[in-house]
Amino acid sequence: MRYLTSGESHGPQLTVIIEGVPANLEINVEDINEEMFKRQGGYGRGRRMQIEKDTIEIVSGVRNGYTLGSPITLVVTNDDFTHWKNIMGAAPISEEEQDNMKRVITKPRPGHADLIGGMKYNHRDLRNVLERSSARETAARVAVGAVAKILLKQLDINFYSRVVEIGGVKDDAEYDIQTIKDNIDKNDVRVIDDSVAQQMRDKIDAAKKAGDTIGGIVQTVVEGVPVGIGSYVHYDRKLDGRIAQGVVSINAFKGVSFGEGFKCAELPGSEVQDEILYDAEQGYYRGSNHLGGFEGGMSNGMPIVVSGVMKPIPTLYKPLNSVDINTKEPFKASIERSDSCAVPAASVVMENVVAFELAKAVLEEFHSNHIDQLKEQIEAQRQINIEY
Ligand SMILES: Cc1cc2nc3c(=O)[nH]c(=O)nc-3n(C[C@H](O)[C@H](O)[C@H](O)COP(=O)(O)O)c2cc1C
């Protein structure tokens, strides 16, 4: 399973082609749209999220509600494009027209791809960089993840994501999976403990008032993953490694951890390794889940617990020093329409990115042309954990 996304932030559309989804999988576009809406929500987001409501159009690979096994193409139309037709259209325009539009960007924003992207591709209008480096692309990645989640749900593999920290305000208790399930999406900051939600909103408001932004930590929990997905043999097939790559590739994500993660540095080994137990019904299981569902780069049957840290949004109302690429003069970095905190939305992005990496690994492990073939193989794999 693989995918390619295309599209600029203010271009006509985002497009994604997904290859390798087994045939006969029932796809309801509303399930994909639900994830899209979730990504757009959350306290602290800017005006664009109010202007646009992302909806998916499926233009290939699905017929009468079922996948064909051929590449699936999903399209998200950018409603805002009507206002950007001249600036972002494919047709050539004169320099004069460009000047009239006054949209040429020569002032790179710190913390964005603007300056280095401009150097790398020799662009003199930094809009050529920011249109693609924008987190708008994460909408396409959520669409892919939504398809992956539909596939994995058929295998009884389910995803839950939550916010653990925003700007130092924490909801980092270790909840059992039932508590997470019961309290998911209860508030607009996506925390389990409702009493923390207002403190987080206050923190976001305070940052906004100060012209600043804040980041945080998000967590994805995956339930029902069969044992043995991944590899202890090959570095590039280790599932934790692949998930880590996927997570850190999300815009603004600066770190990833599994289970106790960085706390492992201070805990003794006896509080980090999970003891092996057995019962006839569920087979082998662990007495705890400090390692977040992984041993030796493979899933061990316990819930996968992944955390990711997002830096504060780089576009600030409180401007930072930068240098104009034409005049080489210093300036205070300009403000584009921007979020003050996108951590709740980022938790949705991460959940879907993890879903894609897991679906990809599952389909490599159990090559399947159609969904029933895949289900049979997963069932057999679950039996191994009991009969071994
Ligand atoms: C869901 C989401 C929304 C984001 N919204 C914004 C935004 O409104 N303004 C902004 O400057 N950066 C935003 N970012 C972060 C930037 O896209 C990102 O920091 C930038 O592309 C540079 O990439 P890097 O931080 O990975 O180096 C957002 C990121 C995510 C995941």
Side-chain angles (χ1 to χ4, degrees), residues 68-82:
L68 298 172
S70 51
I72 297 173
T73 307
L74 308 176
V75 169
V76 191
T77 304
N78 290 329
D79 299 338
D80 215 12
F81 180 63
T82 44

Side-chain angles (χ1 to χ4, degrees), residues 39 45 109 111-113 133-135 138 250-254 310-311 313-315 337-339 342 345-346 349:
R39 190 199 75 97
R45 302 219 70 189
R109 300 160 304 165
H112 273 282
S133 66
S134 155
T138 61
I250 303 168
N251 302 43
F253 273 64
K254 294 294 145 196
M310 183 187 193
K311 76 178 186 184
I313 296 267
T315 308
R337 194 172 54 199
S338 189
D339 303 337
V349 177

Side-chain angles (χ1 to χ4, degrees), residues 154-175:
Q154 288 292 313
L155 311 176
D156 292 324
I157 299 172
N158 291 298
F159 290 77
Y160 311 96
S161 62
R162 66 176 182 122
V163 168
V164 169
E165 181 174 340
I166 289 182
V169 179
K170 296 180 187 180
D171 178 18
D172 61 353
E174 276 177 38
Y175 297 109

Side-chain angles (χ1 to χ4, degrees), residues 30-43:
E30 287 316 315
D31 292 339
I32 306 177
N33 284 336
E34 202 178 303
E35 294 299 310
M36 303 299 288
F37 299 154
K38 271 199 226 169
R39 190 199 75 97
Q40 291 193 284
Y43 198 78

